[in-house]
Amino acid sequence: MRAFQQNELGSLLRHARATVPFYKTRLDPIFKADGSIDWSQWSKLPILKRADVAANYEAMQSSKLPDGHGPTATDTTSGSTGLPIKITFTKLIGDIGFTMGWRAQRWWDFDWSATRVNWLGGLPADWEAKSRVSKGPWGCDDDAQAQRGQFYNYHVTTSVDDKLKHLHDVNARYLAAQSNVPYAAGLDMLKTNKRGKLDSMVLFSTSIEPEYYATLYEAFGAKVHGMYSSKEAGSIGFTCSTGSHYHACAESVLVEILDSDGRPCEVGQSGRVIVTPFYNTAQPFIRYEQGDLASWGNSCACGITLPVIEKLDGRILHLFTRADGTRFSLSSSIDKLGPILGAEFWQFAQIGPKQIEVRYKPTGSRDILREEKFSALAQQEFLLGFEISYKIIKNLPLTKGGKFIKYVNETY
Ligand SMILES: [Zn+2]
């Protein structure tokens, strides 16, 4: 795999150096005088930040695509940071994304002859009428069974009742959506006797928190699978059928996980995700900081030998900040204290340099003693020096864009 990756990366680096002004000298540290590549110098290549991409869109465009990679299209992404960037991508990277998705759907034993629904934003004005018309098969192109499959798009901002009716009317067995949308719907459904009837969900865009699994199984009867991807890098990983960990798409993207000093992380150590997609030759992203935190896992017993990403944490700007400027993630650590507080759901917000607000819905009535006990343990273990206050909420707090951010830093 390493030999294969170096071959693909070598082509990408040479292409970028020759046809992309932004990379004309940026890749010099890895090239020897004779034009060959010294892979031991890989870590000397600078990390590409989102702000670099925002400032250098024109300079990052290739003047000449390799044969078979085009045509190209453009898209913009605001990401979780709100800093919008424009991206040019190739048809090849899109096609490879489909292939990676199909492979994962085989791991998950999906039936491509059944119906799938996607909950999406940004659909055209006449989306409602079109939501009842099949958009055709969604499984692998050359699979005969898959030709009988149907998929439909439905708008993500509709009510839970409308979404459930649509799933029922088109006889959906699979659903793909941004992970917190079905979770928010599931929480609503569990307050009533409404239930969905799905086989599986494919969740993307935001991390899948541990409590999502039981809620989604109870509300929709669905098994939960994850897709980790970005507009910048295409497919990055898909969850294994044996758990919540991801197998990286090592044939199409180099995934690095680095510590704060830029050194590769050990298994189990959380660090920044750096991606280099091999086939985005229109606008190469070489050592791009994706804006996520993740940790490697040990090799998987399922038989798939692709690298294991054990845990995908929230986006970097949803990390919390200590008075000395260090950033930290609360998600996995604080979840374990949940039973002490007794919350149906919660949101942690950093609202000042030393202020944390816990917004939650108690499972029973509010209990000040439980809050005090929770504060004491949280402060002792993770939040030394922070003041913790509490606010009771009735519904899951969503951003204007409809996202639920469980650990949100509002001090930026
Ligand atoms: Zn596995």
Side-chain angles (χ1 to χ4, degrees), residues 240 242 245 247 300 302 304:
C240 179
T242 67
H245 54 287
H247 284 294
C300 189
C302 74
I304 294 167

Side-chain angles (χ1 to χ4, degrees), residues 33 49 57 83 103 108 168 193 213 261 283 315 332 402 411:
K49 307 264 193 180
Y57 174 73
L83 177 65
R103 176 171 68 178
W108 305 331
H168 178 265
N193 59 0
Y213 292 86
D261 295 325
Q283 181 178 356
R315 303 272 161 167
S332 50
T411 66

Side-chain angles (χ1 to χ4, degrees), residues 78-82 156-157 178 180-181 184 205-206 212 315 317-318 347-349 359 393 395-410:
S78 61
S80 49
T81 63
V156 69
T157 57
Q178 188 178 285
N180 41 36
V181 176
S205 264
T206 51
Y212 287 18
R315 303 272 161 167
L317 282 195
H318 301 162
Q347 181 183 49
F348 267 71
R359 299 154 186 169
I393 52 174
N395 295 304
L396 208 60
L398 302 180
T399 65
K400 280 183 195 145
K403 287 191 182 185
F404 167 59
I405 306 168
K406 191 171 158 193
Y407 298 94
V408 62
N409 190 336
E410 296 172 354

Side-chain angles (χ1 to χ4, degrees), residues 107 239-243 245-247 299-306 308:
W107 298 344
T239 53
C240 179
S241 61
T242 67
H245 54 287
Y246 292 75
H247 284 294
S299 57
C300 189
C302 74
I304 294 167
T305 54
L306 295 166
V308 171

Side-chain angles (χ1 to χ4, degrees), residues 50 76-86 231-232 403:
R50 193 175 181 85
T76 55
T77 165
S78 61
S80 49
T81 63
L83 177 65
I85 56 172
K86 193 170 158 193
K231 287 183 180 167
E232 299 92 319
K403 287 191 182 185

Side-chain angles (χ1 to χ4, degrees), residues 16 19-25 58-63:
T19 74
V20 181
F22 182 75
Y23 289 108
K24 194 164 183 255
T25 57
E58 292 301 332
M60 284 182 72
Q61 305 304 306
S62 169
S63 58

